[in-house]
Amino acid sequence: MSEPVAAKPVKKTTFDKTREQLSLPEGTYTSGQESCFNVIAKKLPKSAIPHTAEICNLVLSLNLNLKQVEAGMYFLAANAFELAAFKTACGVGVTYTPEEIEAFITDAVQKNPTAENFKILSIVSKQFPWAEAQKLQAFVQKACENRVVQKEEKAEKVQKAAIPEGPTLMPLEQVYDIIPKCNRYEQLPEEQAKHEAFLKSINATILTRFPPEPNGYLHLGHAKSMFVNFGYAKLRGGKTYLRLDDTNPEKENEEYVEKIKEMCKWLGHEIFQITHASDYFQRLYDIAEDLIVKGHCYVDNQTPEQVAEFREKKMDPPCRFRPAEESLKLFREMRMGLWAEGTITLRMKIDMKNANPNMRDPIAYRIKFHDHQQSGDKWCIYPSYDYTHCLNDAFENITHSVCTLEFNIRRESYDWLTHIVGGYRPMQWEFSRLNITNTVMSKRRLLRLVNENFVNGWDDPRMPTLVGLRRRGFTPSVINQFCQLVGVSRNDQFIDYGLLEYVARQEFERTNDRAMAVLDPIKIELADYKEDKEIEYPLHPADASKGMQKIKFGKTFFIEQSAFMNGNATPDFMELALDQPCALRYGPAIYVKEVVTEKNGQIKIIATHSWDAEEKQKLFKAMKAQKKTLLHLHWISENDSRVAEVRLYDVLFKSRDPMEVEDWIADMNPNSLIVKDKARVPKYVAEAGTQKDGVQYKMFQFERLGFFVVDEQSSNKKLIFNRTVALKSSF
Ligand code: ATP
Ligand code: MG
């Protein structure tokens, strides 16, 4: 009896898997819906999994298109699921009439008479970000049907693929929508009048400030804070101070101050004025004396331990009731340097019984015998954050004092002091801190990495500092787009590092010139070489305006070691092998003759070649017969290239959240830097210039390898390149 024939298993399609993964109800879906669900299956972040059913229902009930779903997934990568916010992020409720679209297209066509259809489409897509791509395409096609485009001369080999447009970003209006439009505090009428007159005199509607402490370099979290402070003010016709919050002289220095200014400008922010908390030291001191006289502050003799204990137990410190004259006398002695550090402090007399610990008589001044980088040795007492920040905001007429949520607890004392002092009252508003996976972002920890040489300085390209990111090749526009994508929210933000890479890739794909470079070279020498051949190499396959580059093909050239098998090709190996010829990108077919070992112990492939198209066709067919693809390897000629050191980076920490592991230093990724010191880059890349003094240097896409920038330490003697991001996404 013959064996029963097992039913052939039916191969599952992507959508079958999606259907299972998302537990979609039975039934048929349109191809548009299928694409939407596939994207959800791929990109739905873990945190949003409990809402899968609800999100899938929204796709059906609101008839979301692919763009909207993609925007929704970016939103969820950065925010917790919340129905209203999710809908806004997906552009629900934004509608465009066909007339509106048609009118815009007609206009776009008139204004860009020589533009290709796809260029018109990209202009139109920007204007109507939520419209279905296919519909827009149909509109554009119709509008362009009868027009005769005077096409510009185009190089032959340039394909007409559309240049990617970058991620769909939520409009800024919506990103900042969560921030209150104006200061809601009630003001004394005369203060309000003065305030308005001041704003008018500087031609601003609102005022914000970005207040870094110059005790370290700025990082990606600060970029977010700048995006919020500068960006919001700009959108609303306001202005922004850069205020150096320099009240801890022992941790601060001028080097940090300079770098902060530099980075703020580098990101493209327009600074209204640069100020320092220390600019106001005298004014703050005078107010303190006044507050003592009025009974709102007192000098306390408790040690730091006693202060903490009394606060914890909600007990009044004995000095709380000392006469104002005595406090004033002691305060002046403090200032004169008659008391030792840590012996006495000035405290605000608020409320020792308050539920909010920060209201239990916070410190206003402490003694520090430390010179200050701005005021020199003028002061030996320095005001605290709680005393300084709100008053500086008031002095500067700040309407929105935007800070991160950990300051929430300090809002009450902020309001108490501005109220007691009686001037214009700024409004504090908090948003959530930005946290990124696989890195640390507190300046204290970054400082430790630098001081103990776990990294090579603040600008090590693996650091999340802005100087590090810049050296690695990230541009201001990538960083700002990333901030826009992440958005402003009051929910915890723990963002995948891959999102930054994603934004970078989208931009660099569009802007970078291409090049063929080889990281781990293996030499090929042609046995049948006749003469060098010049090849026209398109600098961007989709952007003819970048033009062509002449590259040389010569007797010796290199391919990647991994693209060669020193033996017969295995069934899954598609590159060059002893018995398997291959093709070169923009080059000939290559046939291995033999492999020899050179004097230095390295192997060299001796090969023959053919430019004949028919030969390549034969290879193509032979590979196809084996169910393989004929690959076109990237390569580089020996005499048209230079040796370079190429540095490849990975995340700095192994865990998604290094703060959660017991020993965060032990969690560092030993493979965060891999150096390829025998790489080869084309001469035209080597000659493109070096990155000096933070001037953004021209970047390249090395085909199949990623996006690269020349390192700051690169010199004509020793070329060094950094990989900013690889081509493949981890997001
Ligand atoms: P760190 O913890 O890194 O030392 P910080 O808050 O002490 O940060 P500051 O120099 O005082 O650093 O910060 C200046 C501004 O930048 C503050 O308003 C702060 O809220 C904001 N900021 C700092 N880190 C982040 C972050 N990760 N995300 C968003 N904003 C941040
Ligand atoms: Mg700080």
Side-chain angles (χ1 to χ4, degrees), residues 350-364:
I350 311 186
D351 177 9
M352 287 304 288
K353 311 270 182 297
N354 201 296
N356 177 350
N358 208 55
M359 289 294 274
R360 297 174 207 155
D361 293 9
I363 308 278

Side-chain angles (χ1 to χ4, degrees), residues 98-300:
E99 294 76 28
E100 186 185 0
I101 298 180
E102 269 174 87
F104 182 84
I105 294 177
T106 312
D107 188 50
V109 171
Q110 267 171 10
K111 283 191 185 137
N112 302 281
T114 59
E116 300 273 350
N117 292 12
F118 74 81
K119 281 211 173 129
I120 301 279
L121 182 60
S122 89
I123 297 170
V124 176
S125 306
K126 263 205 192 129
Q127 178 71 14
F128 304 102
W130 304 115
E132 212 176 306
Q134 275 174 335
K135 281 201 184 133
L136 285 188
Q137 198 168 3
F139 273 125
V140 169
Q141 216 146 23
K142 196 170 143 231
C144 296
E145 239 164 34
N146 299 324
R147 112 196 137 114
V148 185
V149 182
Q150 288 124 26
K151 283 185 188 157
E152 297 141 75
E153 282 266 322
K154 288 231 162 136
E156 232 177 77
K157 280 182 190 156
V158 174
Q159 304 157 15
K160 287 183 191 123
I163 305 167
E165 271 305 318
T168 310
L169 297 170
M170 212 196 272
L172 289 173
E173 271 292 339
Q174 279 178 36
V175 174
Y176 294 124
D177 198 38
I178 182 174
I179 306 175
K181 297 267 182 310
C182 51
N183 184 338
R184 295 209 203 89
Y185 285 167
E186 211 175 295
Q187 309 287 346
L188 296 169
E190 67 274 21
E191 292 300 336
Q192 181 64 20
K194 264 200 284 181
H195 170 72
E196 281 173 15
F198 175 74
L199 288 188
K200 203 165 167 221
S201 75
I202 60 162
N203 193 21
T205 48
I206 60 167
L207 274 172
T208 61
R209 87 284 167 268
F210 170 61
E213 187 183 348
N215 61 350
Y217 280 60
L218 298 183
H219 51 60
L220 207 43
H222 293 114
K224 161 89 187 277
S225 179
M226 285 187 263
F227 172 82
V228 178
N229 281 298
F230 284 95
Y232 181 66
K234 190 170 178 193
L235 182 79
R236 300 247 168 276
K239 296 194 165 154
T240 306
Y241 289 89
L242 168 61
R243 185 200 306 145
L244 296 146
D245 197 5
D246 53 356
T247 55
N248 285 310
E250 69 275 28
K251 291 189 194 141
E252 298 160 1
N253 74 46
E254 201 52 36
E255 174 200 342
Y256 297 142
V257 172
E258 286 312 309
K259 278 292 174 204
I260 289 172
K261 292 181 194 166
E262 188 187 329
M263 285 301 107
C264 186
K265 290 177 191 160
W266 178 65
L267 282 180
H269 298 304
E270 264 171 57
I271 303 170
F272 165 55
Q273 268 178 32
I274 299 180
T275 58
H276 305 78
S278 56
D279 298 344
Y280 308 103
F281 276 175
Q282 187 61 49
R283 196 164 166 189
L284 291 168
Y285 177 84
D286 295 342
I287 289 175
E289 284 207 351
D290 193 45
L291 291 172
I292 295 173
V293 172
K294 290 184 176 145
H296 296 307
C297 283
Y298 60 94
V299 171
D300 188 16

